Amino acid sequence: MATIEIKDTKGQAAGTAELADSVFGIEPNVPVMHQVVRAQRASWRQGTSNTLTRGKVSGGGKKPFRQKGTGNARQGTSRAPQMPGGGIVFGPHPRSYDIKINKKEVKLAMRSALSAKLADGEIIVVDKFDFEAPSTKAAVAALKALDVKGRSTVIIGDDDINAFLSFRNIKSVTVIPVAFMNTYDFLDNKKLVVTSEALARIEEVLA
């Protein structure tokens, strides 16, 4: 098992933690991570774009002009795609962009991302964020002490509402509970800050 140092909010050592090799010590599976992130991004698409075909636009019924003698190509309806205000050919219609991903692949992708983060030294374990009240100033000070201030950071915490309210206003920080952790946030941020309690729950879920 790999061992990682636990820090407090002042950046001082507060102990060590052993990391499960099954979660933080596997060979990263890049194709699965790509597939899961692609599916996750696709699921964010609303799929509400819509266009009108020639059967749905108004007008038509009568020839726009006579068959011969005008010098123009013959036209049978003003709803044809080549006519101004006509229907759209092969335009977008409401649809779902969801891509099916197996649960085992989702967990494998997260384990791969966490293993890659640990190998690159981008995981920081914090004992806990003991904010007495919501304070963005205290949150910024904690980030500075952990040497992640100004870097894109995702914080996986427990159910500490004060910590959530303190970090949520910082532009470079994304705060998520263990239940909402995902591969995209792991890879999209430079640093990953995890509380000791959240670390135990991550290993419990992904082991």
Side-chain angles (χ1 to χ4, degrees):
M1 286 188 174
T3 302
I4 190 170
E5 184 181 55
I6 300 177
K7 298 182 179 181
D8 57 19
T9 53
K10 296 181 180 179
Q12 302 298 320
T16 59
E18 292 186 348
L19 304 177
D21 291 337
S22 59
V23 178
F24 294 92
I26 70 171
E27 181 69 24
N29 192 320
V30 177
V32 171
M33 286 193 291
H34 173 267
Q35 186 177 3
V36 170
V37 170
R38 178 171 169 264
Q40 187 176 347
R41 289 170 58 88
S43 68
W44 296 341
R45 301 183 65 175
Q46 290 182 322
T48 56
S49 299
N50 193 21
T51 53
L52 300 180
T53 61
R54 63 182 295 165
K56 295 180 180 180
V57 296
S58 62
K62 178 184 177 183
K63 286 173 67 69
F65 45 80
R66 59 195 175 98
Q67 181 85 342
K68 296 179 180 292
T70 65
N72 297 314
R74 57 192 177 185
Q75 302 292 338
T77 174
S78 60
R79 298 194 296 184
Q82 72 273 14
M83 297 293 288
I88 303 298
V89 180
F90 304 130
H93 299 288
R95 54 163 291 191
S96 172
Y97 289 92
D98 290 347
I99 301 174
K100 184 181 183 304
I101 297 292
N102 296 327
K103 292 181 180 179
K104 289 184 178 180
E105 291 179 305
V106 173
K107 289 188 176 182
L108 175 59
M110 285 194 284
R111 290 197 299 267
S112 297
L114 290 172
S115 297
K117 284 288 183 184
L118 181 63
D120 293 338
E122 296 178 353
I123 295 181
I124 299 174
V125 179
V126 179
D127 184 23
K128 61 180 179 179
F129 295 107
D130 50 354
F131 298 134
E132 296 181 356
S135 172
T136 302
K137 181 178 181 180
V140 171
L143 293 178
K144 184 176 181 180
L146 295 172
D147 195 26
V148 294
K149 182 181 178 181
R151 302 184 185 182
S152 57
T153 306
V154 60
I155 296 177
I156 302 179
D158 41 30
D159 299 326
D160 186 354
I161 188 63
N162 287 337
F164 172 76
L165 295 175
S166 299
F167 286 107
R168 69 174 182 174
N169 290 330
I170 303 176
K171 185 177 181 180
S172 61
V173 175
T174 302
V175 188
I176 56 176
V178 176
F180 291 97
M181 64 180 181
N182 58 85
T183 306
Y184 178 82
D185 282 333
F186 291 163
L187 299 177
D188 189 49
N189 292 275
K190 184 65 176 176
K191 291 290 185 178
L192 177 60
V193 178
V194 187
T195 63
S196 298
E197 183 178 345
L199 179 63
R201 292 170 63 184
I202 288 174
E203 293 185 337
E204 180 181 354
V205 172
L206 297 181

